[in-house]
Amino acid sequence: MEDTAYPAIAYGSLLSLYHELDLATILLLEKAIVHRSLRNYFQSLAIFDALPTSATCKTAVVLEHTWTLIAQYRFREGRCIAERGLSALRSNAVGNNGHGPIILLRALLAGLDTLIDGSTRRCFESLQEIYGWLSGVPTVEFTDVQVWAVNLYYYLPTLLSTAAGSPPFRDIPSVPANSPSSGITLLRKHLQRTGRLNEALFLLETEMALLPNKDAEIEAMESVRSACIEPSTQPLTYIEGSVALKLALLYAELGDDEGYREEMFNAAAALSIPKASEFSSNLLRTDTWLARLELARAGGQGPGAEAWEGFADYAAKLGDYRIEAKALTEALESMINPESEEAEDVSPENRERLRERLDELYSRLGSSFHRSVTRRRVSGERNQQQPHKQGVSKGVVMYGQQSALRSLQT
Protein backbone atom coordinates (compact mmCIF):
# COMPACT_ATOMS: atom_id res chain seq x y z
CA MET A 1 0.00 0.00 0.00
CA GLU A 2 1.24 3.48 -0.75
CA ASP A 3 2.50 5.76 2.03
CA THR A 4 3.30 2.80 4.25
CA ALA A 5 6.09 3.48 6.74
CA TYR A 6 7.22 2.19 10.09
CA PRO A 7 7.58 4.07 13.38
CA ALA A 8 11.12 4.72 14.57
CA ILE A 9 10.32 2.63 17.65
CA ALA A 10 7.75 -0.13 17.12
CA TYR A 11 5.87 -1.88 19.91
CA GLY A 12 4.07 -4.30 17.62
CA SER A 13 5.52 -7.70 16.78
CA LEU A 14 3.77 -8.28 13.44
CA LEU A 15 5.57 -5.71 11.31
CA SER A 16 5.57 -7.96 8.25
CA LEU A 17 1.80 -7.41 8.05
CA TYR A 18 1.99 -3.61 8.20
CA HIS A 19 2.33 -3.41 4.42
CA GLU A 20 -1.46 -3.71 4.24
CA LEU A 21 -1.89 -0.50 6.22
CA ASP A 22 -1.40 3.18 5.50
CA LEU A 23 0.80 5.27 7.77
CA ALA A 24 -2.09 6.83 9.70
CA THR A 25 -3.48 3.38 10.57
CA ILE A 26 -0.04 2.07 11.54
CA LEU A 27 0.47 4.94 13.97
CA LEU A 28 -2.96 4.37 15.52
CA LEU A 29 -2.34 0.61 15.77
CA GLU A 30 0.99 1.21 17.47
CA LYS A 31 -0.67 3.57 19.93
CA ALA A 32 -3.27 0.90 20.74
CA ILE A 33 -0.50 -1.67 21.29
CA VAL A 34 1.36 0.70 23.63
CA HIS A 35 -1.78 1.18 25.71
CA ARG A 36 -2.37 -2.60 25.83
CA SER A 37 1.24 -3.20 26.87
CA LEU A 38 0.74 -0.80 29.78
CA ARG A 39 -2.65 -2.43 30.58
CA ASN A 40 -4.57 0.70 29.65
CA TYR A 41 -7.26 -1.48 28.12
CA PHE A 42 -10.03 1.07 27.81
CA GLN A 43 -7.77 3.46 25.89
CA SER A 44 -6.46 0.68 23.67
CA LEU A 45 -9.89 -0.63 22.72
CA ALA A 46 -11.21 2.88 22.11
CA ILE A 47 -8.57 3.23 19.38
CA PHE A 48 -9.51 -0.09 17.78
CA ASP A 49 -13.19 0.87 17.88
CA ALA A 50 -12.45 4.20 16.15
CA LEU A 51 -10.43 2.77 13.28
CA PRO A 52 -11.95 3.20 9.81
CA THR A 53 -13.96 0.24 8.57
CA SER A 54 -11.44 -0.32 5.78
CA ALA A 55 -8.76 -1.09 8.41
CA THR A 56 -10.67 -3.25 10.86
CA CYS A 57 -10.38 -6.46 8.81
CA LYS A 58 -6.70 -6.08 7.99
CA THR A 59 -4.77 -9.01 9.41
CA ALA A 60 -2.44 -7.08 11.74
CA VAL A 61 -5.35 -5.11 13.17
CA VAL A 62 -7.48 -8.23 13.67
CA LEU A 63 -4.70 -10.12 15.44
CA GLU A 64 -3.71 -7.25 17.72
CA HIS A 65 -7.35 -6.40 18.48
CA THR A 66 -8.11 -10.03 19.33
CA TRP A 67 -4.99 -10.30 21.50
CA THR A 68 -5.98 -7.16 23.40
CA LEU A 69 -9.41 -8.61 24.19
CA ILE A 70 -7.82 -11.91 25.26
CA ALA A 71 -5.42 -10.05 27.55
CA GLN A 72 -8.43 -8.35 29.12
CA TYR A 73 -10.27 -11.70 29.38
CA ARG A 74 -13.09 -10.56 27.06
CA PHE A 75 -13.15 -13.88 25.25
CA ARG A 76 -16.51 -13.74 23.48
CA GLU A 77 -15.71 -10.37 21.95
CA GLY A 78 -12.27 -11.62 20.96
CA ARG A 79 -13.82 -14.57 19.16
CA CYS A 80 -16.14 -12.28 17.21
CA ILE A 81 -13.22 -10.14 16.02
CA ALA A 82 -11.13 -13.18 15.05
CA GLU A 83 -14.01 -14.83 13.17
CA ARG A 84 -14.67 -11.65 11.21
CA GLY A 85 -10.99 -11.34 10.37
CA LEU A 86 -10.69 -14.97 9.30
CA SER A 87 -13.68 -14.62 6.99
CA ALA A 88 -12.19 -11.50 5.38
CA LEU A 89 -8.77 -13.13 5.03
CA ARG A 90 -10.18 -16.21 3.34
CA SER A 91 -12.13 -14.03 0.90
CA ASN A 92 -9.09 -11.97 -0.07
CA ALA A 93 -6.31 -14.59 0.06
CA VAL A 94 -4.54 -15.26 -3.23
CA GLY A 95 -2.52 -18.47 -3.51
CA ASN A 96 -0.47 -18.97 -0.34
CA ASN A 97 -0.34 -15.29 0.59
CA GLY A 98 -2.76 -15.72 3.49
CA HIS A 99 -1.72 -19.25 4.51
CA GLY A 100 0.22 -18.37 7.66
CA PRO A 101 -2.22 -15.76 9.03
CA ILE A 102 -5.14 -18.13 8.37
CA ILE A 103 -3.44 -20.86 10.44
CA LEU A 104 -2.72 -18.31 13.16
CA LEU A 105 -6.29 -17.05 13.31
CA ARG A 106 -7.62 -20.62 13.36
CA ALA A 107 -5.35 -21.36 16.33
CA LEU A 108 -6.53 -18.27 18.17
CA LEU A 109 -10.13 -19.31 17.57
CA ALA A 110 -9.36 -22.83 18.75
CA GLY A 111 -8.09 -21.51 22.07
CA LEU A 112 -11.06 -19.16 22.40
CA ASP A 113 -13.49 -22.03 21.76
CA THR A 114 -11.93 -23.94 24.66
CA LEU A 115 -11.98 -20.93 26.95
CA ILE A 116 -15.58 -20.03 26.13
CA ASP A 117 -17.40 -23.35 25.97
CA GLY A 118 -14.87 -26.07 26.73
CA SER A 119 -14.62 -27.39 23.17
CA THR A 120 -11.19 -28.95 22.56
CA ARG A 121 -11.44 -30.44 19.07
CA ARG A 122 -10.09 -27.36 17.28
CA CYS A 123 -7.17 -27.10 19.72
CA PHE A 124 -5.98 -30.57 18.79
CA GLU A 125 -6.44 -29.80 15.10
CA SER A 126 -4.52 -26.53 15.39
CA LEU A 127 -1.60 -28.19 17.17
CA GLN A 128 -1.32 -30.67 14.32
CA GLU A 129 -1.71 -27.94 11.71
CA ILE A 130 0.97 -25.70 13.23
CA TYR A 131 3.37 -28.63 13.58
CA GLY A 132 2.83 -29.63 9.97
CA TRP A 133 3.49 -26.05 8.87
CA LEU A 134 6.56 -25.27 10.99
CA SER A 135 8.25 -28.53 11.98
CA GLY A 136 10.89 -28.27 9.24
CA VAL A 137 11.52 -24.52 9.38
CA PRO A 138 15.07 -23.63 10.54
CA THR A 139 15.22 -21.34 13.56
CA VAL A 140 16.87 -18.56 11.56
CA GLU A 141 14.00 -18.43 9.06
CA PHE A 142 11.06 -17.89 11.40
CA THR A 143 8.90 -14.90 10.47
CA ASP A 144 6.99 -12.81 13.00
CA VAL A 145 3.73 -14.56 12.04
CA GLN A 146 5.40 -17.93 12.65
CA VAL A 147 6.69 -16.75 16.02
CA TRP A 148 3.11 -16.00 17.02
CA ALA A 149 2.15 -19.49 15.85
CA VAL A 150 4.93 -21.05 17.96
CA ASN A 151 3.66 -19.15 20.98
CA LEU A 152 0.18 -20.60 20.46
CA TYR A 153 1.63 -24.05 19.81
CA TYR A 154 3.10 -24.05 23.31
CA TYR A 155 0.10 -22.32 24.87
CA LEU A 156 -2.82 -24.36 23.52
CA PRO A 157 -1.87 -27.57 25.41
CA THR A 158 -2.35 -25.68 28.70
CA LEU A 159 -6.06 -25.67 27.86
CA LEU A 160 -6.17 -29.43 27.22
CA SER A 161 -5.19 -30.84 30.60
CA THR A 162 -8.61 -32.43 31.12
CA ALA A 163 -8.98 -33.71 27.55
CA ALA A 164 -8.71 -37.40 26.75
CA GLY A 165 -5.55 -38.39 24.95
CA SER A 166 -2.82 -36.02 23.84
CA PRO A 167 -1.80 -34.46 20.53
CA PRO A 168 1.45 -35.24 18.73
CA PHE A 169 3.41 -32.60 20.62
CA ARG A 170 7.06 -32.16 19.72
CA ASP A 171 9.35 -29.18 19.86
CA ILE A 172 9.15 -26.37 17.32
CA PRO A 173 11.75 -25.45 16.26
CA SER A 174 13.34 -28.89 16.44
CA VAL A 175 15.82 -29.33 19.28
CA PRO A 176 19.14 -31.22 19.14
CA ALA A 177 19.02 -34.50 21.03
CA ASN A 178 21.51 -33.31 23.67
CA SER A 179 19.93 -29.89 24.22
CA PRO A 180 18.37 -29.20 27.65
CA SER A 181 16.28 -26.39 26.17
CA SER A 182 12.85 -26.54 24.55
CA GLY A 183 12.15 -25.20 21.09
CA ILE A 184 10.50 -22.07 22.43
CA THR A 185 13.61 -21.25 24.48
CA LEU A 186 15.93 -21.75 21.51
CA LEU A 187 13.73 -19.54 19.33
CA ARG A 188 13.52 -16.83 22.00
CA LYS A 189 17.32 -16.74 22.28
CA HIS A 190 17.67 -16.51 18.51
CA LEU A 191 15.25 -13.57 18.43
CA GLN A 192 17.31 -11.83 21.10
CA ARG A 193 20.54 -12.30 19.17
CA THR A 194 18.97 -10.81 16.05
CA GLY A 195 17.44 -7.80 17.80
CA ARG A 196 13.81 -8.98 17.62
CA LEU A 197 13.15 -8.21 21.26
CA ASN A 198 9.41 -7.57 21.06
CA GLU A 199 8.98 -11.11 19.79
CA ALA A 200 11.40 -12.49 22.38
CA LEU A 201 9.39 -10.87 25.17
CA PHE A 202 6.19 -12.22 23.62
CA LEU A 203 7.55 -15.80 23.73
CA LEU A 204 8.90 -15.34 27.25
CA GLU A 205 5.35 -15.01 28.60
CA THR A 206 4.53 -18.58 27.57
CA GLU A 207 8.02 -20.03 27.99
CA MET A 208 7.96 -19.24 31.71
CA ALA A 209 5.35 -21.95 32.27
CA LEU A 210 7.67 -24.58 30.78
CA LEU A 211 10.73 -23.85 32.88
CA PRO A 212 11.57 -26.35 35.63
CA ASN A 213 12.28 -23.97 38.51
CA LYS A 214 12.57 -20.37 39.67
CA ASP A 215 16.29 -20.21 38.89
CA ALA A 216 15.56 -21.07 35.26
CA GLU A 217 12.86 -18.37 35.17
CA ILE A 218 15.29 -15.77 36.53
CA GLU A 219 17.91 -16.82 33.98
CA ALA A 220 15.43 -16.47 31.10
CA MET A 221 14.30 -13.03 32.21
CA GLU A 222 17.85 -11.80 32.75
CA SER A 223 18.73 -13.11 29.30
CA VAL A 224 16.04 -10.96 27.69
CA ARG A 225 17.08 -7.91 29.68
CA SER A 226 20.74 -8.33 28.79
CA ALA A 227 19.81 -8.20 25.09
CA CYS A 228 18.40 -4.66 25.42
CA ILE A 229 21.29 -2.89 23.73
CA GLU A 230 21.21 0.39 21.82
CA PRO A 231 20.82 1.23 19.00
CA SER A 232 17.51 -0.51 18.47
CA THR A 233 14.12 0.00 16.85
CA GLN A 234 12.55 -1.88 19.77
CA PRO A 235 11.09 -0.17 22.89
CA LEU A 236 14.00 -1.03 25.16
CA THR A 237 12.81 0.91 28.22
CA TYR A 238 9.45 -0.84 28.12
CA ILE A 239 11.07 -4.28 27.68
CA GLU A 240 13.51 -3.61 30.53
CA GLY A 241 10.70 -2.34 32.74
CA SER A 242 8.43 -5.27 31.92
CA VAL A 243 11.17 -7.79 32.71
CA ALA A 244 12.03 -5.96 35.94
CA LEU A 245 8.38 -6.18 37.01
CA LYS A 246 8.33 -9.91 36.33
CA LEU A 247 11.48 -10.34 38.39
CA ALA A 248 10.07 -8.19 41.20
CA LEU A 249 6.96 -10.37 41.33
CA LEU A 250 9.04 -13.54 41.35
CA TYR A 251 11.28 -12.25 44.15
CA ALA A 252 8.19 -11.18 46.10
CA GLU A 253 6.73 -14.69 45.78
CA LEU A 254 10.03 -16.08 47.07
CA GLY A 255 10.06 -13.64 50.00
CA ASP A 256 13.27 -12.02 48.77
CA ASP A 257 12.71 -8.46 49.97
CA GLU A 258 16.05 -7.15 48.67
CA GLY A 259 15.55 -8.60 45.19
CA TYR A 260 11.97 -7.33 45.12
CA ARG A 261 12.96 -3.78 46.03
CA GLU A 262 15.84 -3.64 43.56
CA GLU A 263 13.74 -4.85 40.64
CA MET A 264 10.78 -2.65 41.56
CA PHE A 265 13.15 0.33 41.50
CA ASN A 266 14.37 -0.76 38.06
CA ALA A 267 10.80 -1.16 36.82
CA ALA A 268 9.71 2.24 38.08
CA ALA A 269 12.74 3.89 36.51
CA ALA A 270 11.95 2.37 33.11
CA LEU A 271 8.15 2.55 33.05
CA SER A 272 7.92 6.05 34.49
CA ILE A 273 9.41 7.35 31.24
CA PRO A 274 6.38 7.15 28.94
CA LYS A 275 6.53 7.12 25.17
CA ALA A 276 4.37 10.23 25.13
CA SER A 277 2.90 12.49 27.78
CA GLU A 278 -0.62 11.05 27.37
CA PHE A 279 0.49 7.55 28.39
CA SER A 280 0.33 6.34 31.95
CA SER A 281 1.11 2.85 33.19
CA ASN A 282 -1.58 0.79 34.87
CA LEU A 283 0.96 -2.03 34.47
CA LEU A 284 3.37 -0.46 36.95
CA ARG A 285 0.72 0.46 39.51
CA THR A 286 -1.09 -2.88 39.33
CA ASP A 287 1.99 -5.10 39.52
CA THR A 288 3.43 -2.99 42.36
CA TRP A 289 0.27 -3.65 44.37
CA LEU A 290 0.32 -7.34 43.47
CA ALA A 291 3.98 -7.71 44.42
CA ARG A 292 3.33 -6.18 47.84
CA LEU A 293 0.55 -8.69 48.45
CA GLU A 294 2.78 -11.57 47.36
CA LEU A 295 5.63 -10.33 49.57
CA ALA A 296 3.30 -10.17 52.58
CA ARG A 297 2.11 -13.71 51.86
CA ALA A 298 5.66 -15.03 51.54
CA GLY A 299 6.43 -13.46 54.91
CA GLY A 300 3.52 -15.26 56.56
CA GLN A 301 1.57 -12.04 57.20
CA GLY A 302 -1.53 -12.66 55.11
CA PRO A 303 -2.92 -11.05 53.06
CA GLY A 304 -6.49 -12.02 53.83
CA ALA A 305 -9.68 -11.93 51.83
CA GLU A 306 -10.33 -8.25 52.48
CA ALA A 307 -6.95 -7.21 51.06
CA TRP A 308 -7.39 -9.36 47.95
CA GLU A 309 -10.92 -8.10 47.35
CA GLY A 310 -9.70 -4.51 47.60
CA PHE A 311 -7.17 -5.31 44.91
CA ALA A 312 -9.94 -6.88 42.80
CA ASP A 313 -12.03 -3.69 43.13
CA TYR A 314 -9.08 -1.65 41.91
CA ALA A 315 -8.49 -3.93 38.92
CA ALA A 316 -12.18 -3.86 38.00
CA LYS A 317 -12.11 -0.07 37.71
CA LEU A 318 -9.21 -0.37 35.24
CA GLY A 319 -11.01 -3.01 33.19
CA ASP A 320 -8.21 -5.46 34.06
CA TYR A 321 -10.52 -8.44 34.42
CA ARG A 322 -7.69 -10.97 34.43
CA ILE A 323 -6.26 -9.38 37.56
CA GLU A 324 -9.74 -8.98 39.06
CA ALA A 325 -10.39 -12.70 38.62
CA LYS A 326 -6.96 -13.55 40.04
CA ALA A 327 -7.57 -11.40 43.13
CA LEU A 328 -11.08 -12.74 43.75
CA THR A 329 -9.79 -16.31 43.50
CA GLU A 330 -7.03 -15.51 45.98
CA ALA A 331 -9.61 -13.96 48.33
CA LEU A 332 -11.69 -17.14 48.24
CA GLU A 333 -8.63 -19.34 48.74
CA SER A 334 -7.57 -17.29 51.76
CA MET A 335 -10.97 -18.11 53.29
CA ILE A 336 -10.55 -21.88 52.97
CA ASN A 337 -6.93 -21.84 54.14
CA PRO A 338 -6.96 -23.03 57.75
CA GLU A 339 -3.89 -20.90 58.46
CA SER A 340 -5.80 -17.70 57.68
CA GLU A 341 -5.83 -15.27 60.60
CA GLU A 342 -8.64 -13.08 59.25
CA ALA A 343 -11.63 -14.82 60.82
CA GLU A 344 -13.89 -11.86 60.12
CA ASP A 345 -13.45 -12.50 56.39
CA VAL A 346 -14.43 -16.17 56.34
CA SER A 347 -18.14 -16.20 57.14
CA PRO A 348 -20.21 -18.47 54.86
CA GLU A 349 -22.17 -15.45 53.66
CA ASN A 350 -19.04 -13.57 52.65
CA ARG A 351 -17.58 -16.63 50.96
CA GLU A 352 -20.77 -17.17 48.96
CA ARG A 353 -20.87 -13.48 48.00
CA LEU A 354 -17.35 -13.68 46.56
CA ARG A 355 -18.13 -16.95 44.77
CA GLU A 356 -21.13 -15.33 43.14
CA ARG A 357 -19.11 -12.27 42.14
CA LEU A 358 -16.40 -14.40 40.54
CA ASP A 359 -18.92 -16.64 38.80
CA GLU A 360 -20.75 -13.59 37.43
CA LEU A 361 -17.47 -12.15 36.17
CA TYR A 362 -16.60 -15.30 34.23
CA SER A 363 -20.14 -15.54 32.88
CA ARG A 364 -19.95 -11.97 31.64
CA LEU A 365 -16.53 -12.50 30.08
CA GLY A 366 -17.53 -15.84 28.58
CA SER A 367 -15.17 -18.42 30.06
CA SER A 368 -16.48 -21.79 31.15
CA PHE A 369 -12.85 -22.95 31.30
CA HIS A 370 -11.86 -20.46 33.99
CA ARG A 371 -15.12 -20.99 35.85
CA SER A 372 -14.53 -24.73 36.14
CA VAL A 373 -10.85 -24.36 37.06
CA THR A 374 -11.66 -21.78 39.72
CA ARG A 375 -14.48 -23.86 41.18
CA ARG A 376 -12.00 -26.70 41.73
CA ARG A 377 -9.53 -24.31 43.35
CA VAL A 378 -12.06 -22.84 45.78
CA SER A 379 -14.11 -25.99 46.42
CA GLY A 380 -13.06 -26.01 50.05
CA GLU A 381 -10.27 -28.52 49.70
CA ARG A 382 -6.72 -27.59 50.60
CA ASN A 383 -4.84 -26.80 47.39
CA GLN A 384 -1.66 -28.86 47.44
CA GLN A 385 -0.25 -27.38 44.24
CA GLN A 386 -0.10 -23.83 45.66
CA PRO A 387 -1.01 -22.29 42.32
CA HIS A 388 -0.57 -18.74 43.63
CA LYS A 389 3.19 -19.19 43.32
CA GLN A 390 2.83 -19.15 39.55
CA GLY A 391 1.52 -15.60 39.70
CA VAL A 392 -0.05 -13.68 36.86
CA SER A 393 3.17 -12.54 35.25
CA LYS A 394 2.96 -15.48 32.85
CA GLY A 395 0.71 -13.66 30.43
CA VAL A 396 -2.36 -15.72 29.59
CA VAL A 397 -0.96 -19.08 30.74
CA MET A 398 -3.52 -20.54 33.13
CA TYR A 399 -2.90 -21.51 36.74
CA GLY A 400 -2.20 -25.15 37.46
CA GLN A 401 -1.64 -26.12 33.83
CA GLN A 402 2.16 -26.34 33.70
CA SER A 403 2.29 -30.08 34.45
CA ALA A 404 -0.26 -30.72 31.73
CA LEU A 405 1.87 -28.89 29.18
CA ARG A 406 4.93 -30.90 30.14
CA SER A 407 3.03 -34.19 29.92
CA LEU A 408 1.97 -33.43 26.37
CA GLN A 409 5.60 -33.06 25.37
CA THR A 410 6.45 -36.64 26.19
Side-chain angles (χ1 to χ4, degrees):
M1 177 172 288
E2 293 182 2
D3 299 325
T4 298
Y6 301 103
I9 301 295
Y11 282 70
S13 57
L14 290 168
L15 299 187
S16 70
L17 300 177
Y18 281 15
H19 70 276
E20 298 180 325
L21 309 174
D22 59 37
L23 178 57
T25 301
I26 289 173
L27 295 177
L28 286 171
L29 178 59
E30 279 287 314
K31 189 174 181 179
I33 293 169
V34 172
H35 274 303
R36 181 191 68 210
S37 300
L38 298 176
R39 295 207 200 130
N40 304 331
Y41 295 120
F42 292 139
Q43 297 95 317
S44 179
L45 291 169
I47 294 171
F48 282 113
D49 291 342
L51 286 174
T53 304
S54 60
T56 56
C57 285
K58 299 298 184 183
T59 308
V61 173
V62 169
L63 288 168
E64 296 289 6
H65 193 177
T66 302
W67 200 252
T68 302
L69 289 164
I70 290 173
Q72 201 188 10
Y73 268 32
R74 291 165 65 173
F75 303 116
R76 285 199 190 98
E77 294 165 83
R79 182 163 68 177
C80 289
I81 297 297
E83 286 176 339
R84 185 181 68 194
L86 181 59
S87 177
L89 188 57
R90 282 172 169 161
S91 298
N92 299 322
V94 178
N96 291 325
N97 289 343
H99 179 66
I102 285 174
I103 292 177
L104 187 52
L105 278 167
R106 279 202 290 252
L108 273 176
L109 285 166
L112 286 165
D113 280 353
T114 303
L115 289 165
I116 292 167
D117 47 41
S119 172
T120 60
R121 178 182 58 83
R122 290 174 72 176
C123 273
F124 283 94
E125 292 174 352
S126 282
L127 285 169
Q128 294 167 340
E129 184 174 41
I130 293 171
Y131 186 81
W133 176 34
L134 299 180
S135 59
V137 177
T139 303
V140 296
E141 295 181 9
F142 270 77
T143 67
D144 49 14
V145 172
Q146 291 170 330
V147 168
W148 269 57
V150 168
N151 187 67
L152 286 171
Y153 182 75
Y154 282 90
Y155 164 65
L156 291 179
T158 69
L159 305 180
L160 300 174
S161 60
T162 59
S166 61
F169 191 84
R170 289 161 287 183
D171 274 298
I172 300 176
S174 60
V175 176
N178 60 348
S179 174
S181 299
S182 64
I184 194 171
T185 297
L186 293 179
L187 181 56
R188 189 257 302 160
K189 290 180 177 179
H190 165 73
L191 295 171
Q192 290 172 199
R193 289 193 298 269
T194 54
R196 295 163 63 180
L197 299 179
N198 283 333
E199 296 165 81
L201 184 65
F202 184 60
L203 287 184
L204 180 67
E205 300 289 344
T206 299
E207 180 193 358
M208 296 283 284
L210 292 163
L211 298 174
N213 52 53
K214 298 296 185 184
D215 288 339
E217 293 178 28
I218 292 171
E219 181 181 355
M221 288 186 279
E222 291 285 11
S223 176
V224 173
R225 180 159 61 181
S226 67
C228 293
I229 301 172
E230 295 283 6
S232 175
T233 59
Q234 311 282 286
L236 298 185
T237 54
Y238 165 72
I239 294 171
E240 291 170 334
S242 180
V243 170
L245 269 182
K246 297 179 196 306
L247 283 164
L249 279 167
L250 187 148
Y251 286 129
E253 292 166 6
L254 294 173
D256 184 341
D257 185 71
E258 182 179 354
Y260 153 75
R261 292 181 183 278
E262 179 180 352
E263 293 302 342
M264 195 57 72
F265 176 84
N266 292 335
L271 295 175
S272 296
I273 305 174
K275 180 181 177 184
S277 59
E278 75 233 54
F279 292 112
S280 61
S281 178
N282 289 332
L283 170 66
L284 179 60
R285 289 192 291 268
T286 301
D287 278 9
T288 298
W289 192 333
L290 176 60
R292 288 171 181 165
L293 291 171
E294 293 289 5
L295 192 65
R297 172 159 51 193
Q301 302 173 6
E306 185 176 354
W308 282 114
E309 188 175 10
F311 186 41
D313 293 340
Y314 167 79
K317 291 178 182 178
L318 301 179
D320 197 335
Y321 305 125
R322 179 171 64 92
I323 294 293
E324 181 187 4
K326 149 78 174 174
L328 290 174
T329 303
E330 296 290 1
L332 280 164
E333 286 200 327
S334 73
M335 290 181 174
I336 64 175
N337 184 346
E339 297 176 358
S340 174
E341 298 178 357
E342 297 204 15
E344 68 275 12
D345 286 341
V346 298
S347 66
E349 296 80 11
N350 202 32
R351 187 183 305 168
E352 183 60 27
R353 178 184 61 80
L354 284 179
R355 278 201 179 106
E356 289 178 356
R357 176 178 171 181
L358 185 57
D359 198 60
E360 187 278 330
L361 174 64
Y362 282 139
S363 296
R364 175 161 47 88
L365 299 173
S367 179
S368 64
F369 175 88
H370 288 93
R371 192 182 303 117
S372 63
V373 169
T374 302
R375 282 174 177 169
R376 289 197 297 271
R377 285 186 61 181
V378 299
S379 62
E381 299 176 2
R382 185 74 179 271
N383 190 336
Q384 297 179 350
Q385 292 184 341
Q386 296 180 312
H388 66 265
K389 290 190 177 182
Q390 292 150 18
V392 296
S393 60
K394 309 291 193 297
V396 293
V397 177
M398 308 308 162
Y399 304 112
Q401 306 303 311
Q402 281 81 347
S403 60
L405 180 54
R406 295 190 187 100
S407 70
L408 291 176
Q409 286 185 278
T410 58

